[in-house]
Amino acid sequence: MAEELLPRVARETGMQPRGERTTLAGSSYGGLASASIALRYPQQFGNVIALSGSFWWAPLEADQTRHYIGQRVLTLPKAPLRFFVSAGLYETANGTSGGILESSRHLRDLLEARAYPVHFREYTGGHDYLVWRGALADGLLALFDLKPSQVTGLLSSPTSSR
């Protein structure tokens, strides 16, 4: 993302992306990946939208009893990042995993402890696109401090008066 895709987009479009305006978004493992990449490359990606992020996951070589992404938040130097984290109320534990809801709440708490700007939302739903389609819009509105009426104005085309 940071070393290949973003530079290619810049080359092919002629635009130079600014980190504070560039957002990584993903659901499930994509939410985990978005947070991981932004923590590693905060100058390129200043915003994270993690929809039902799989924050319970850890690499095999990592301490499986610790919150992997949470440990990265706590141990890496604080970076200019903003987060929108969401989870469904029905995304609870299964097997040995703490579940998406619990691990998302834990990540929120760790981000707040490090004074990262974080918006956190819980939705009445599960691990599905029905929830994520609205949560993605909520995340963009929250991270860029927009009101829905501002977006409507951006999307509508000018009309001529009769």
Side-chain angles (χ1 to χ4, degrees):
M1 295 295 288
E3 296 173 7
E4 293 179 29
L5 183 60
L6 198 59
R8 182 174 179 174
V9 168
R11 270 192 320 274
E12 291 189 14
T13 64
M15 298 184 331
Q16 290 302 315
R18 297 185 346 235
E20 70 274 7
R21 302 291 296 166
T22 304
T23 303
L24 283 172
S27 57
S28 195
Y29 282 113
L32 170 73
S34 295
S36 297
I37 293 166
L39 286 165
R40 185 168 178 195
Y41 298 98
Q43 299 308 319
Q44 288 93 337
F45 305 103
N47 302 283
V48 174
I49 298 176
L51 311 171
S52 301
S54 295
F55 299 119
W56 52 266
W57 179 89
L60 291 176
E61 66 275 6
D63 180 352
Q64 297 296 314
T65 64
R66 303 189 70 151
H67 190 267
Y68 178 73
I69 289 295
Q71 288 303 306
R72 293 184 57 80
V73 167
L74 293 175
T75 58
L76 290 173
K78 186 162 184 291
L81 293 171
R82 299 179 301 175
F83 291 84
F84 178 88
V85 178
S86 71
L89 291 172
Y90 304 123
E91 295 184 280
T92 55
N94 57 25
T96 59
S97 160
I100 287 174
L101 180 60
E102 180 183 318
S103 61
S104 294
R105 287 173 175 167
H106 184 63
L107 178 61
R108 174 210 50 210
D109 294 345
L110 295 174
L111 289 167
E112 287 177 346
R114 288 291 312 270
Y116 277 100
V118 59
H119 301 271
F120 181 78
R121 301 256 169 76
E122 295 177 358
Y123 296 91
T124 304
H127 199 73
D128 59 60
Y129 293 104
L130 182 63
V131 174
W132 299 334
R133 69 180 186 172
L136 177 61
D138 289 347
L140 290 168
L141 293 170
L143 289 174
F144 293 99
D145 198 29
L146 295 171
K147 307 293 180 257
S149 60
Q150 291 172 297
V151 175
T152 302
L154 293 173
L155 298 177
S156 61
S157 59
T159 59
S160 59
S161 58
R162 292 186 190 193

